[in-house]
């Protein structure tokens, strides 16, 4: 049985998750490792970070952004393991918890080796606030019986946004070579998560 469409409050917060940094339209084509550009929904290229007024970030601040993103995914995945009704969605949520927990552990170990201490920034604080709002909406969608669809909508939008941030904001500003290598590997994982989420989202609500 297919779930109902998510309530309007979910749709509004999904939009917030994409436009919170002014990059909401850039969800159709995250930049690939061969240099292919991000694309807007109308086929035009997405702006680079400087064009949308994002601040410069240090390696310490970028590290905290990555930790914050991972923590958000872990919290949402833990909720989905409890609330999802689809076995496929529950398995996806379990994978999100495992992968993002492992990523944070690997990053923390690397940061200790490099002597880098993560530092908050307006970007990481904004991402944390957005993640908390998403958790609130997802809990509401569970009460309304629309959790699976809402969770997968969130996963598609957040992973697309994460890829844009990695390509245009985080990776270009990293100074430490080992952190750049970590970010490149993490980007591949995020792309795989997005591809999987898109397919699963389609299966939940197939086109007529």
């Amino acid at each position: 049985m297919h779930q109902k469409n998510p309530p309007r409050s979910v749709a509004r917060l999904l939009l917030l998750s994409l436009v919170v940094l002014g990059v909401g339209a850039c969800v159709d084509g995250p930049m690939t490792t061969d240099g292919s550009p991000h694309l807007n929904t109308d086929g035009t290229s997405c702006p680079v970070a400087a064009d949308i007024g994002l601040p410069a970030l240090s390696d310490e601040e970028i590290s905290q952004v990555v930790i914050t993103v991972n923590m958000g995914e872990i919290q949402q995945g833990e909720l989905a393991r409890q609330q999802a009704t689809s076995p496929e969605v529950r398995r996806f949520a379990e994978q999100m918890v495992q992968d993002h927990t492992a990523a944070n552990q690997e990053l923390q170990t690397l940061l200790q080796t490099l002597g880098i201490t993560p530092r908050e920034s307006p970007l990481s604080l904004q991402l944390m606030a957005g993640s908390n709002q998403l958790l609130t909406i997802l809990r509401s969608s569970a009460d309304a019986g629309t959790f699976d669809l809402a969770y997968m909508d969130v996963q598609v939008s957040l992973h697309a946004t994460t890829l844009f941030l990695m390509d245009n904001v985080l990776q270009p500003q990293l100074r430490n070579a080992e952190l750049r290598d970590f970010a490149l590997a993490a980007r591949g994982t995020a792309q795989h998560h997005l591809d999987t989420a898109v397919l699963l989202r389609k299966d939940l609500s197939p086109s007529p």
Side-chain angles (χ1 to χ4, degrees):
M1 178 181 295
H2 302 308
Q3 294 192 340
K4 301 174 185 178
N5 289 331
R8 289 184 179 180
S9 58
V10 174
R12 287 197 297 270
L13 197 50
L14 292 176
L15 180 60
L16 170 65
S17 72
L18 291 173
V19 303
V20 67
L21 298 173
V23 297
C26 303
V27 299
D28 283 351
M31 185 177 292
T32 59
T33 54
D34 65 1
S36 301
H38 286 266
L39 296 178
N40 290 300
T41 52
D42 62 2
T44 58
S45 296
C46 287
V48 296
D51 296 333
I52 54 178
L54 292 177
L57 297 173
S58 66
D59 285 2
E60 291 81 1
E61 290 168 330
I62 291 172
S63 298
Q64 185 59 54
V65 166
V66 176
I67 291 170
T68 300
V69 169
N70 283 330
M71 287 304 302
E73 288 289 347
I74 292 167
Q75 292 171 339
Q76 293 162 28
E78 289 174 340
L79 179 64
R81 290 193 299 188
Q82 301 171 6
Q83 300 294 340
T85 58
S86 163
E88 291 79 9
V89 173
R90 286 198 301 270
R91 283 195 292 270
F92 179 85
E94 178 67 36
Q95 193 67 53
M96 292 305 99
V97 173
Q98 291 178 1
D99 288 355
H100 287 281
T101 298
N104 259 358
Q105 291 173 344
E106 181 181 353
L107 177 56
Q108 294 283 9
T109 299
L110 177 60
L111 292 174
Q112 289 177 6
T113 300
L114 297 174
I116 294 175
T117 301
R119 185 168 63 241
E120 295 284 6
S121 66
L123 175 55
S124 63
L125 293 173
Q126 195 169 21
L127 289 171
M128 183 185 298
S131 178
N132 290 336
Q133 288 180 299
L134 285 172
L135 281 173
T136 299
I137 293 299
L138 287 174
R139 291 189 182 102
S140 298
S141 73
D143 295 336
T146 58
F147 182 88
D148 289 13
L149 197 57
Y151 173 66
M152 293 315 304
D153 278 340
V154 166
Q155 287 300 296
V156 170
S157 63
L158 288 185
H159 279 95
T161 302
T162 295
L163 284 166
F164 179 87
L165 290 175
M166 292 177 75
D167 289 342
N168 293 279
V169 181
L170 306 183
Q171 288 179 325
Q173 299 190 68
L174 280 171
R175 295 162 181 82
N176 183 276
E178 292 182 67
L179 280 178
R180 286 198 299 270
D181 290 342
F182 173 88
L184 182 59
R187 192 214 181 282
T189 301
Q191 181 68 64
H192 175 68
H193 289 168
L194 174 60
D195 294 342
T196 304
V198 167
L199 292 175
L200 185 50
R201 171 60 179 81
K202 289 179 179 178
D203 287 341
L204 287 175
S205 183
S207 300

